[in-house]
Amino acid sequence: MTELSLHSAAIMLTKRLGRLAAVLVIVAAAAFTLAKLSPIDPVNAYLGIDIARVGPEQRALIAARWGLDQPPLVQFLHWAGNLLQGDLGYSMIYNAPVAEVIASRFWVSLPLVGLAWLFSGALGFALGVVAGASSGTLLDRAIRLYAYVLASAPTFWIAILLLIIFAVQLGWAPVCCAGPLGVVPDDVTFADRLRHLALPLAALTLFGVAQIALHTRAKIIEILQRDAALYARAQGAGKWDVALRHGARNAALPAVTILFASLGELFGGSILAEQVFAYPGLGQAVVSAGIKGDVPLLLAVTLFLTLFVSVGNMIADMLYRLVDPRLRDEALSAGGQHG
C-alpha cells in the first residue's frame, strides 16, 4: 500500500471514530433527557412498598446522596465527567457499581445473542439460496410466506408462543430463567444452561431469519439472470450447480453485511425475549433500569449497546470495502481529496 493510500486510510478511520464519538454524545444526551422527562421518581421507585415508612426528610437525604437535588444539566455534566475518568456510576436498584452489573449481565446475554446471530445468519442464508434457486416454485412461495410471517411477527409474540407450546403444554423446556430455581449460578451445570437457553435462543433466531433469507433470495435471482450464469447453463451446468458455485459465493458478502448491520435489531429483540423468559441478561437489566429510574445504569447500558452496534455496522462497512475494490478505491480517493 502506497504512502498516499495509508494517509487516506488514516483520514477515513479518524473520520469514522469522530462520527462514533458524536453518536455516543448525542445518544447519551437523548437518553438522559428522556430519563429526566419520565414521570417515574427514582426515589419512590427505589423505596417501593416501603415508601409509606419513609418521611420527606429521609427521601430528601436519599435524593441528595444520589445527586438528584441538583439541576439536570449539572447532573449530566457530573455523570459525563465521571464517565471520562472511567467511572460509570453506581446502580441504585442492584446496589453495585454499574460496571460490575453490565459485566455480569453481558456474559449471560452473550451466548443468547451471539448464537442467535450465527444461527439466524446460517439458516436465513440457506433458505435464501434455496428460495432463489427455486424461484417461482411452491418451495419458493412457502419460504417467502415463512419469511414474511416472521418479519411481521413481534419477537415477544414468537417468544410467548414458544413458551406456551414447548414449556407449558409439552413440558419439553423450562419456563424461565438461566438455570434451575434455587440453585446458585456457580452450581448450574452446562446441560441445565443449555436447556434454559434453548427457547429464548429459538425465539431470537427465528426473529433474525427473515431479513437475511429475503435479501439472499433476491441476490441469488439477480445472479442467476446474469450472462455468466446463463453461459454456464448453456455449457451444461445445472441450475443448482450454478446457484451453489456462483450464486451463493457472490451473495455471501451482502448477507454478512446485513448480518452485522442487524445487530441493533437483534439486541432489541433480546430485550423482549429476556423479559418473556425472565432471562437475567442485559436486556432485562435495561427494562428494570427504565422502570425504576436507575439513570446511571440506563445511560451506561445505552452507551454500551450503541457502541456495540456501531462497531458492528463499521465492521460491515469495512468488509464491503475490503472485498469490493471499487468501493475501497472510491473511499480512499475521497479521503485523500478531503485531506
Side-chain angles (χ1 to χ4, degrees), residues 316-332:
D317 194 32
M318 292 176 68
L319 273 176
Y320 226 113
R321 296 180 189 280
L322 185 67
V323 175
D324 193 332
R326 295 168 299 177
L327 293 176
R328 182 175 64 241
D329 294 342
E330 182 182 339
L332 291 177

Side-chain angles (χ1 to χ4, degrees), residues 27-314:
V27 169
F32 183 84
T33 304
L34 290 175
K36 286 301 170 185
L37 292 176
S38 170
I40 299 174
D41 182 29
V43 177
N44 291 343
Y46 172 76
L47 293 173
I49 58 175
D50 295 327
I51 189 171
R53 303 176 183 175
V54 179
E57 294 180 355
Q58 291 174 301
R59 292 175 55 191
L61 288 175
I62 295 174
R65 188 176 186 278
W66 289 346
L68 299 176
D69 57 340
Q70 300 294 322
L73 181 59
V74 175
Q75 293 180 36
F76 180 75
L77 294 177
H78 179 69
W79 172 81
N82 290 336
L83 179 66
L84 292 176
Q85 297 175 5
D87 182 9
L88 298 180
Y90 199 82
S91 171
M92 307 167 190
I93 58 176
Y94 292 102
N95 199 25
V98 169
E100 291 183 7
V101 176
I102 291 178
S104 62
R105 294 288 178 139
F106 174 73
W107 290 114
V108 176
S109 291
L110 184 61
L112 173 62
V113 177
L115 290 175
W117 185 72
L118 290 176
F119 291 161
S120 61
L123 182 60
F125 184 73
L127 290 176
V129 171
V130 172
S134 56
S135 175
T137 64
L138 187 60
L139 180 60
D140 174 39
R141 293 176 184 174
I143 293 176
R144 272 191 295 160
L145 177 63
Y146 172 73
Y148 288 142
V149 171
L150 287 182
S152 57
T155 309
F156 72 89
W157 183 81
I158 297 175
I160 291 174
L161 200 62
L162 293 176
L163 186 68
I164 292 174
I165 295 175
F166 293 102
V168 178
Q169 297 293 335
L170 299 176
W172 291 353
V175 176
C176 73
C177 311
L181 295 175
V183 178
V184 180
D186 293 339
D187 294 337
V188 178
T189 63
F190 182 70
D192 282 335
R193 292 183 191 278
L194 288 182
R195 288 180 62 245
H196 285 78
L197 180 66
L199 278 187
L201 178 60
L204 207 54
T205 300
L206 291 176
F207 168 73
V209 162
Q211 190 179 6
I212 305 293
L214 292 174
H215 187 275
T216 303
R217 174 188 176 274
K219 193 68 180 177
I220 290 291
I221 292 175
E222 176 193 334
I223 293 171
L224 291 180
Q225 292 175 348
R226 291 178 181 173
D227 293 340
L230 296 176
Y231 182 70
R233 293 290 304 277
Q235 287 186 320
K239 190 174 183 179
W240 283 100
D241 188 40
V242 175
L244 293 176
R245 289 179 180 273
H246 300 280
R249 184 177 299 176
N250 287 284
L253 181 61
V256 170
T257 306
I258 293 177
L259 197 57
F260 273 104
S262 66
L263 276 173
E265 296 180 17
L266 203 61
F267 264 113
S270 73
I271 292 175
L272 299 175
E274 288 181 4
Q275 280 299 111
V276 172
F277 293 101
Y279 201 79
L282 205 55
Q284 197 182 50
V286 173
V287 175
S288 299
I291 292 176
K292 298 183 178 179
D294 193 343
V295 177
L297 179 59
L298 188 63
L299 290 179
V301 174
T302 303
L303 284 185
F304 177 77
L305 294 182
T306 302
L307 180 64
F308 198 85
V309 173
S310 298
V311 170
N313 290 336
M314 192 182 298

